Coordinates of all heavy atoms in Angstrom, one line a residue:
M129 N 0.9 -1.2 0.0 CA 0.0 0.0 0.0 C 0.9 1.2 0.0 O 1.9 1.3 0.6 CB -0.9 0.0 1.2 CG -1.9 1.1 1.3 SD -2.9 0.9 2.7 CE -4.3 1.8 2.2
N130 N 0.5 2.3 -0.8 CA 1.2 3.5 -0.9 C 0.9 4.4 0.3 O -0.2 5.1 0.3 CB 1.0 4.1 -2.2 CG 2.0 5.3 -2.5 OD1 2.8 5.5 -1.7 ND2 1.8 5.9 -3.6
F131 N 1.8 4.5 1.3 CA 1.4 5.3 2.4 C 1.8 6.8 2.3 O 1.4 7.6 3.1 CB 2.2 4.7 3.7 CG 1.7 3.4 4.1 CD1 2.3 2.3 3.9 CD2 0.4 3.4 4.8 CE1 1.8 1.0 4.4 CE2 -0.2 2.1 5.2 CZ 0.6 1.0 5.0
K132 N 2.6 7.0 1.3 CA 3.0 8.4 1.1 C 1.8 9.3 0.7 O 1.7 10.4 1.2 CB 4.1 8.5 -0.1 CG 5.4 8.0 0.3 CD 6.4 8.2 -0.8 CE 7.8 7.6 -0.4 NZ 8.7 7.8 -1.4
N133 N 0.9 8.8 -0.2 CA -0.3 9.6 -0.5 C -1.2 9.7 0.6 O -1.8 10.7 0.9 CB -1.0 8.9 -1.7 CG -0.2 9.0 -3.0 OD1 0.6 9.9 -3.2 ND2 -0.3 8.1 -3.9
L134 N -1.4 8.6 1.4 CA -2.3 8.7 2.6 C -1.7 9.6 3.6 O -2.4 10.3 4.2 CB -2.4 7.3 3.1 CG -3.5 7.0 4.2 CD1 -4.9 7.4 3.6 CD2 -3.5 5.6 4.6
R135 N -0.4 9.7 3.8 CA 0.2 10.6 4.7 C 0.1 12.0 4.2 O -0.2 12.9 5.0 CB 1.7 10.3 4.9 CG 2.3 11.1 5.9 CD 3.6 10.4 6.5 NE 4.3 11.3 7.3 CZ 4.2 11.3 8.6 NH1 3.3 10.5 9.2 NH2 4.9 12.2 9.4
R136 N 0.1 12.2 2.9 CA -0.1 13.6 2.4 C -1.5 14.1 2.7 O -1.7 15.2 3.0 CB 0.2 13.6 0.9 CG 1.7 13.6 0.6 CD 2.0 13.6 -0.9 NE 3.4 13.5 -1.1 CZ 3.9 12.9 -2.2 NH1 3.1 12.4 -3.1 NH2 5.2 12.7 -2.3
I137 N -2.5 13.1 2.5 CA -3.8 13.5 2.8 C -4.0 13.8 4.3 O -4.7 14.8 4.6 CB -4.7 12.3 2.4 CG1 -4.8 12.2 0.9 CG2 -6.2 12.5 2.9 CD1 -5.5 11.0 0.4
S138 N -3.3 13.1 5.2 CA -3.5 13.3 6.6 C -2.8 14.7 7.0 O -3.3 15.4 7.8 CB -2.8 12.2 7.4 OG -1.4 12.2 7.2
V139 N -1.8 15.0 6.3 CA -1.1 16.4 6.6 C -2.1 17.5 6.1 O -2.2 18.5 6.9 CB 0.2 16.5 5.8 CG1 0.8 17.9 5.9 CG2 1.2 15.6 6.5
V140 N -2.8 17.3 5.0 CA -3.7 18.3 4.6 C -4.9 18.4 5.5 O -5.3 19.5 5.9 CB -4.2 18.0 3.1 CG1 -5.4 18.9 2.7 CG2 -3.1 18.2 2.1
L141 N -5.3 17.2 6.0 CA -6.5 17.3 7.0 C -6.0 17.9 8.3 O -6.8 18.7 8.8 CB -6.9 15.9 7.3 CG -7.9 15.2 6.3 CD1 -8.2 13.8 6.7 CD2 -9.2 15.9 6.3
L142 N -4.8 17.7 8.7 CA -4.3 18.3 9.9 C -4.2 19.8 9.7 O -4.6 20.6 10.6 CB -3.0 17.7 10.3 CG -2.3 18.2 11.5 CD1 -3.0 17.9 12.7 CD2 -0.8 17.7 11.6
F143 N -3.7 20.3 8.6 CA -3.5 21.7 8.4 C -4.9 22.4 8.3 O -5.1 23.5 8.9 CB -2.8 22.0 7.0 CG -2.7 23.4 6.6 CD1 -1.8 24.2 7.4 CD2 -3.4 23.9 5.6 CE1 -1.7 25.6 7.0 CE2 -3.3 25.2 5.3 CZ -2.5 26.0 6.0
V144 N -5.8 21.8 7.5 CA -7.1 22.4 7.4 C -7.9 22.4 8.7 O -8.6 23.4 9.1 CB -8.0 21.6 6.3 CG1 -9.4 22.1 6.3 CG2 -7.3 21.9 5.0
G145 N -7.7 21.3 9.5 CA -8.4 21.3 10.9 C -7.8 22.4 11.8 O -8.6 23.1 12.5
L146 N -6.5 22.5 11.8 CA -5.9 23.6 12.6 C -6.3 25.0 12.2 O -6.6 25.9 12.9 CB -4.4 23.4 12.7 CG -3.9 22.2 13.5 CD1 -2.4 22.1 13.4 CD2 -4.3 22.4 15.0
L147 N -6.3 25.2 10.8 CA -6.8 26.4 10.3 C -8.2 26.8 10.6 O -8.5 27.8 11.0 CB -6.5 26.4 8.7 CG -6.8 27.7 8.0 CD1 -5.8 28.8 8.4 CD2 -6.9 27.5 6.6
W148 N -9.1 25.7 10.4 CA -10.5 25.9 10.7 C -10.7 26.2 12.2 O -11.6 27.0 12.5 CB -11.3 24.7 10.3 CG -12.7 24.9 10.2 CD1 -13.6 24.4 11.1 CD2 -13.5 25.7 9.3 NE1 -14.9 24.8 10.8 CE2 -14.8 25.6 9.8 CE3 -13.2 26.5 8.3 CZ2 -15.8 26.2 9.1 CZ3 -14.2 27.2 7.6 CH2 -15.5 27.0 8.0
M149 N -9.9 25.6 13.1 CA -10.0 25.9 14.5 C -9.6 27.3 14.9 O -10.1 28.0 15.7 CB -9.3 24.8 15.3 CG -10.1 24.1 16.2 SD -9.3 22.8 17.2 CE -7.6 22.8 16.9
M150 N -8.4 27.7 14.3 CA -7.8 28.9 14.8 C -8.3 30.2 14.0 O -8.2 31.3 14.5 CB -6.3 28.8 14.7 CG -5.8 27.8 15.6 SD -6.3 28.1 17.4 CE -6.1 26.5 18.1
L151 N -8.6 30.1 12.7 CA -9.0 31.2 11.9 C -10.2 31.9 12.5 O -10.2 33.1 12.5 CB -9.2 30.7 10.5 CG -9.5 31.9 9.5 CD1 -8.3 32.8 9.4 CD2 -9.9 31.3 8.2
P152 N -11.2 31.2 12.9 CA -12.3 31.9 13.6 C -12.0 32.8 14.8 O -12.6 33.7 15.0 CB -13.3 30.8 13.9 CG -13.0 29.7 13.0 CD -11.6 29.8 12.8
H153 N -10.9 32.4 15.5 CA -10.5 33.2 16.6 C -10.1 34.6 16.1 O -10.3 35.6 16.7 CB -9.3 32.6 17.3 CG -9.8 31.4 18.1 ND1 -10.5 31.6 19.3 CD2 -9.5 30.1 18.0 CE1 -10.7 30.3 19.8 NE2 -10.1 29.5 19.1
A154 N -9.4 34.6 15.0 CA -8.9 35.8 14.5 C -10.0 36.7 13.7 O -10.0 38.0 13.9 CB -7.7 35.6 13.5
F155 N -10.8 36.1 13.0 CA -11.8 36.8 12.1 C -13.2 36.5 12.5 O -14.1 36.7 11.6 CB -11.5 36.5 10.6 CG -10.1 36.9 10.2 CD1 -9.2 36.0 10.0 CD2 -9.9 38.2 10.0 CE1 -7.9 36.4 9.6 CE2 -8.6 38.6 9.6 CZ -7.6 37.7 9.4
H156 N -13.5 36.0 13.6 CA -14.8 35.5 13.9 C -15.8 36.7 13.9 O -17.0 36.5 13.3 CB -14.8 34.8 15.3 CG -15.9 33.8 15.3 ND1 -17.1 34.0 15.9 CD2 -15.9 32.5 14.9 CE1 -17.9 32.9 15.9 NE2 -17.1 32.0 15.3
N157 N -15.5 37.7 14.5 CA -16.5 38.8 14.6 C -16.8 39.5 13.2 O -17.9 39.8 12.9 CB -16.0 39.9 15.6 CG -16.1 39.4 17.0 OD1 -16.9 38.6 17.3 ND2 -15.3 40.0 17.9
L158 N -15.8 39.6 12.5 CA -15.9 40.1 11.1 C -16.8 39.3 10.2 O -17.7 39.8 9.5 CB -14.6 40.2 10.4 CG -13.7 41.5 10.8 CD1 -12.3 41.4 10.2 CD2 -14.4 42.7 10.3
V159 N -16.6 38.0 10.2 CA -17.3 37.1 9.4 C -18.7 37.0 9.9 O -19.7 37.1 9.1 CB -16.7 35.7 9.4 CG1 -17.6 34.6 8.7 CG2 -15.3 35.7 8.8
L160 N -19.0 36.9 11.1 CA -20.3 36.7 11.7 C -21.1 38.0 11.6 O -22.4 37.9 11.6 CB -20.3 36.2 13.1 CG -19.8 34.8 13.2 CD1 -19.7 34.2 14.6 CD2 -20.6 33.8 12.3
E161 N -20.5 39.2 11.6 CA -21.4 40.4 11.4 C -22.0 40.5 10.1 O -23.0 41.0 10.0 CB -20.4 41.6 11.7 CG -20.2 41.8 13.2 CD -19.2 43.0 13.4 OE1 -18.8 43.6 12.4 OE2 -18.8 43.2 14.6
E162 N -21.2 39.9 9.1 CA -21.8 39.9 7.7 C -22.9 39.0 7.6 O -23.9 39.2 6.8 CB -20.7 39.6 6.7 CG -19.6 40.7 6.6 CD -18.5 40.3 5.7 OE1 -18.6 39.3 5.0 OE2 -17.5 41.1 5.7
V163 N -22.8 37.8 8.3 CA -23.8 36.8 8.2 C -25.0 37.0 9.2 O -26.1 36.5 8.9 CB -23.1 35.4 8.4 CG1 -24.1 34.2 8.2 CG2 -22.0 35.2 7.4
H164 N -24.8 37.7 10.3 CA -25.7 37.9 11.3 C -26.1 36.6 12.0 O -27.3 36.3 12.2 CB -27.0 38.7 10.8 CG -26.7 39.9 10.2 ND1 -26.2 41.1 10.9 CD2 -26.8 40.3 8.9 CE1 -26.0 42.0 10.1 NE2 -26.4 41.6 8.8
E165 N -25.2 35.8 12.3 CA -25.4 34.5 13.1 C -25.2 34.7 14.5 O -24.6 35.7 15.0 CB -24.4 33.4 12.6 CG -24.8 32.9 11.3 CD -23.9 31.7 10.9 OE1 -23.3 31.1 11.9 OE2 -23.8 31.3 9.8
E166 N -25.7 33.7 15.3 CA -25.4 33.7 16.7 C -24.0 33.4 17.0 O -23.4 32.5 16.5 CB -26.2 32.7 17.4 CG -26.1 32.6 18.9 CD -26.6 33.8 19.6 OE1 -27.6 34.4 19.1 OE2 -26.1 34.2 20.7
T167 N -23.2 34.3 17.6 CA -21.8 34.2 17.7 C -21.3 33.1 18.6 O -20.3 32.5 18.3 CB -21.1 35.5 18.3 OG1 -21.7 35.8 19.5 CG2 -21.5 36.6 17.3
I168 N -21.9 32.7 19.7 CA -21.4 31.8 20.6 C -21.5 30.4 20.1 O -20.5 29.7 20.1 CB -22.2 31.9 22.0 CG1 -22.0 33.2 22.6 CG2 -21.8 30.7 22.9 CD1 -22.8 33.5 23.9
F169 N -22.6 30.0 19.5 CA -22.8 28.6 19.0 C -21.9 28.4 17.8 O -21.4 27.3 17.6 CB -24.2 28.3 18.8 CG -25.0 28.3 20.1 CD1 -26.0 29.2 20.4 CD2 -24.7 27.3 21.1 CE1 -26.7 29.2 21.5 CE2 -25.4 27.3 22.3 CZ -26.4 28.2 22.5
S170 N -21.9 29.3 16.9 CA -21.1 29.1 15.7 C -19.6 29.0 16.0 O -18.8 28.4 15.3 CB -21.4 30.1 14.6 OG -21.0 31.4 15.0
H171 N -19.2 29.8 17.0 CA -17.8 29.8 17.4 C -17.4 28.4 17.9 O -16.4 27.8 17.6 CB -17.5 30.8 18.4 CG -16.1 31.0 18.9 ND1 -15.1 31.4 18.0 CD2 -15.5 30.7 20.0 CE1 -14.0 31.4 18.6 NE2 -14.2 30.9 19.8
Y172 N -18.2 27.8 18.8 CA -18.0 26.5 19.3 C -18.1 25.4 18.2 O -17.4 24.4 18.2 CB -18.9 26.1 20.5 CG -18.5 26.9 21.7 CD1 -19.5 27.7 22.4 CD2 -17.2 26.9 22.2 CE1 -19.1 28.4 23.5 CE2 -16.9 27.5 23.4 CZ -17.9 28.3 24.0 OH -17.5 29.0 25.1
T173 N -19.0 25.7 17.3 CA -19.1 24.7 16.1 C -17.9 24.7 15.3 O -17.4 23.6 14.9 CB -20.3 25.2 15.2 OG1 -21.5 25.2 16.1 CG2 -20.6 24.1 14.1
H174 N -17.3 25.9 15.1 CA -16.0 25.9 14.4 C -14.9 25.1 15.1 O -14.1 24.4 14.5 CB -15.6 27.3 14.1 CG -16.4 28.0 13.0 ND1 -16.3 29.4 12.8 CD2 -17.3 27.6 12.1 CE1 -17.1 29.7 11.9 NE2 -17.7 28.6 11.4
L175 N -14.8 25.4 16.4 CA -13.9 24.7 17.2 C -14.0 23.2 17.2 O -13.0 22.4 16.9 CB -13.9 25.1 18.7 CG -13.4 26.5 18.9 CD1 -13.7 26.9 20.4 CD2 -11.9 26.6 18.7
I176 N -15.2 22.7 17.3 CA -15.5 21.2 17.2 C -15.2 20.6 15.9 O -14.6 19.6 15.7 CB -16.9 20.9 17.7 CG1 -17.1 21.3 19.2 CG2 -17.3 19.5 17.4 CD1 -18.5 21.3 19.7
Q177 N -15.6 21.4 14.8 CA -15.3 20.8 13.5 C -13.8 20.8 13.2 O -13.3 19.9 12.6 CB -16.0 21.8 12.4 CG -17.5 21.7 12.4 CD -18.1 22.7 11.5 OE1 -17.5 23.7 11.2 NE2 -19.4 22.5 11.3
G178 N -13.1 21.8 13.6 CA -11.7 21.9 13.4 C -11.0 20.8 14.2 O -10.0 20.2 13.7
L179 N -11.5 20.6 15.4 CA -10.9 19.6 16.3 C -11.1 18.1 15.7 O -10.2 17.3 15.7 CB -11.5 19.7 17.7 CG -10.9 18.6 18.7 CD1 -9.5 18.9 19.0 CD2 -11.8 18.7 20.0
A180 N -12.3 17.9 15.1 CA -12.6 16.7 14.4 C -11.6 16.5 13.2 O -11.1 15.3 13.1 CB -14.0 16.6 14.0
L181 N -11.4 17.4 12.4 CA -10.5 17.3 11.3 C -9.0 17.1 11.8 O -8.3 16.3 11.2 CB -10.5 18.6 10.4 CG -11.8 18.6 9.5 CD1 -11.8 20.0 8.8 CD2 -11.7 17.5 8.4
T182 N -8.6 17.8 12.8 CA -7.3 17.6 13.3 C -7.0 16.3 13.9 O -6.1 15.6 13.7 CB -7.1 18.7 14.5 OG1 -7.3 20.0 13.9 CG2 -5.7 18.6 15.0
I183 N -8.1 15.7 14.7 CA -7.9 14.4 15.2 C -7.9 13.3 14.1 O -7.1 12.3 14.2 CB -9.0 14.1 16.2 CG1 -8.8 15.0 17.5 CG2 -9.1 12.6 16.6 CD1 -9.9 14.9 18.4
A184 N -8.7 13.5 13.1 CA -8.7 12.6 12.0 C -7.4 12.6 11.2 O -6.9 11.6 10.9 CB -9.8 13.0 11.0
G185 N -6.8 13.8 11.0 CA -5.5 13.9 10.4 C -4.4 13.1 11.2 O -3.6 12.5 10.7
L186 N -4.4 13.4 12.5 CA -3.4 12.8 13.4 C -3.6 11.3 13.4 O -2.7 10.5 13.5 CB -3.5 13.4 14.8 CG -3.0 14.8 14.9 CD1 -3.2 15.3 16.3 CD2 -1.5 14.8 14.6
A187 N -4.9 10.8 13.5 CA -5.1 9.3 13.5 C -4.6 8.7 12.2 O -4.0 7.6 12.3 CB -6.6 9.1 13.7
I188 N -4.9 9.3 11.1 CA -4.4 8.7 9.8 C -2.9 8.7 9.7 O -2.3 7.8 9.4 CB -5.0 9.4 8.6 CG1 -6.6 9.3 8.6 CG2 -4.4 9.0 7.3 CD1 -7.2 10.1 7.6
M189 N -2.3 9.8 10.3 CA -0.8 9.9 10.3 C -0.2 8.8 11.2 O 0.8 8.2 10.8 CB -0.4 11.3 10.8 CG 1.0 11.7 10.4 SD 1.4 13.4 11.0 CE 0.3 14.3 9.9
N190 N -0.8 8.6 12.3 CA -0.4 7.6 13.2 C -0.5 6.2 12.7 O 0.4 5.4 12.8 CB -1.2 7.7 14.6 CG -0.6 6.8 15.7 OD1 0.6 6.4 15.6 ND2 -1.4 6.5 16.6
Y191 N -1.6 6.0 12.0 CA -1.9 4.7 11.3 C -0.8 4.4 10.2 O -0.2 3.3 10.2 CB -3.2 4.7 10.7 CG -3.5 3.5 9.8 CD1 -3.8 2.2 10.4 CD2 -3.5 3.6 8.4 CE1 -4.0 1.1 9.6 CE2 -3.8 2.5 7.7 CZ -4.0 1.3 8.3 OH -4.3 0.2 7.5
C192 N -0.5 5.4 9.5 CA 0.5 5.3 8.4 C 1.9 5.0 9.0 O 2.6 4.2 8.5 CB 0.6 6.6 7.6 SG -0.8 6.8 6.5
D193 N 2.2 5.7 10.1 CA 3.5 5.4 10.7 C 3.7 4.0 11.3 O 4.7 3.4 11.1 CB 3.8 6.5 11.8 CG 4.1 7.9 11.3 OD1 4.4 8.0 10.1 OD2 4.0 8.8 12.1
K194 N 2.6 3.6 11.9 CA 2.6 2.2 12.4 C 2.7 1.2 11.3 O 3.5 0.2 11.4 CB 1.4 2.0 13.3 CG 1.4 2.6 14.6 CD 0.3 2.2 15.5 CE 0.4 2.9 16.8 NZ -0.7 2.6 17.6
K195 N 2.0 1.3 10.3 CA 2.0 0.4 9.2 C 3.3 0.4 8.4 O 3.8 -0.6 7.9 CB 0.8 0.6 8.2 CG -0.6 0.2 8.8 CD -0.6 -1.3 9.0 CE -1.9 -1.7 9.6 NZ -2.1 -3.1 9.8
Q196 N 3.9 1.6 8.3 CA 5.1 1.7 7.6 C 6.2 1.1 8.3 O 7.1 0.4 7.8 CB 5.4 3.1 7.3 CG 6.4 3.4 6.2 CD 6.5 4.9 5.8 OE1 6.0 5.7 6.5 NE2 7.1 5.1 4.7
T197 N 6.3 1.2 9.6 CA 7.3 0.6 10.4 C 7.2 -1.0 10.4 O 8.1 -1.7 10.4 CB 7.3 1.1 11.9 OG1 6.0 0.9 12.5 CG2 7.7 2.5 11.9
V198 N 5.9 -1.4 10.4 CA 5.7 -2.9 10.4 C 6.1 -3.4 9.0 O 6.8 -4.5 9.0 CB 4.1 -3.2 10.6 CG1 3.9 -4.7 10.3 CG2 3.8 -2.9 12.0
T199 N 5.9 -2.8 7.9 CA 6.3 -3.3 6.6 C 7.8 -3.2 6.5 O 8.4 -3.9 5.8 CB 5.6 -2.5 5.5 OG1 5.8 -1.1 5.6 CG2 4.1 -2.8 5.5
Q200 N 8.4 -2.2 7.1 CA 9.9 -2.0 7.0 C 10.6 -3.2 7.8 O 11.6 -3.7 7.5 CB 10.4 -0.7 7.5 CG 10.0 0.4 6.6 CD 10.5 1.8 7.2 OE1 10.8 1.9 8.3 NE2 10.3 2.8 6.3
K201 N 10.0 -3.6 8.9 CA 10.6 -4.7 9.7 C 10.5 -6.0 8.9 O 11.4 -6.9 9.0 CB 9.8 -4.8 11.1 CG 10.2 -3.7 12.0 CD 9.5 -3.8 13.3 CE 9.8 -2.7 14.2 NZ 9.1 -2.8 15.5
I202 N 9.4 -6.2 8.2 CA 9.2 -7.5 7.5 C 10.2 -7.6 6.3 O 10.7 -8.6 6.1 CB 7.7 -7.5 6.9 CG1 6.7 -7.7 8.2 CG2 7.6 -8.7 6.0 CD1 5.3 -7.7 7.8
Y203 N 10.4 -6.5 5.6 CA 11.2 -6.5 4.4 C 12.6 -6.1 4.8 O 13.5 -5.9 4.5 CB 10.7 -5.6 3.3 CG 9.4 -6.1 2.8 CD1 8.2 -5.3 3.1 CD2 9.2 -7.3 2.2 CE1 7.0 -5.7 2.6 CE2 7.9 -7.7 1.7 CZ 6.8 -6.9 2.0 OH 5.6 -7.2 1.6

């Protein structure tokens, strides 16, 4: 199995998750004033969504590292 492509996908997921989690901290009021949403709930929603993407990226990265070391020991 080609773990390089799967690892690249996990790096992208990790980056997008961290960006999604931290970007609303910087621009949350600007974005939400244009949309007129409830600020508290959407802020926590962004944090949870970003955290889910970050954990998924880290889990895939951990899986790739474990499988890659197992295949290196065999060969």
Side-chain angles (χ1 to χ4, degrees):
M129 184 175 203
N130 191 1
F131 291 108
K132 288 183 181 181
N133 291 333
L134 192 58
R135 185 159 172 95
R136 287 181 185 146
I137 291 170
S138 69
V139 169
V140 170
L141 277 177
L142 180 65
F143 176 75
V144 170
L146 289 173
L147 182 71
W148 191 251
M149 235 179 5
M150 297 303 161
L151 186 65
H153 286 289
F155 297 105
H156 207 265
N157 290 334
L158 280 172
V159 171
L160 291 179
E161 284 176 4
E162 294 176 6
V163 180
H164 301 292
E165 286 187 18
E166 182 67 30
T167 57
I168 295 173
F169 293 115
S170 63
H171 184 67
Y172 289 126
T173 304
H174 285 170
L175 286 173
I176 292 170
Q177 290 170 347
L179 183 65
L181 284 173
T182 303
I183 290 172
L186 287 173
I188 294 171
M189 200 177 293
N190 191 22
Y191 173 76
C192 289
D193 287 344
K194 283 184 180 181
K195 288 297 183 179
Q196 195 170 16
T197 55
V198 168
T199 57
Q200 286 176 352
K201 288 180 183 177
I202 292 173
Y203 299 112

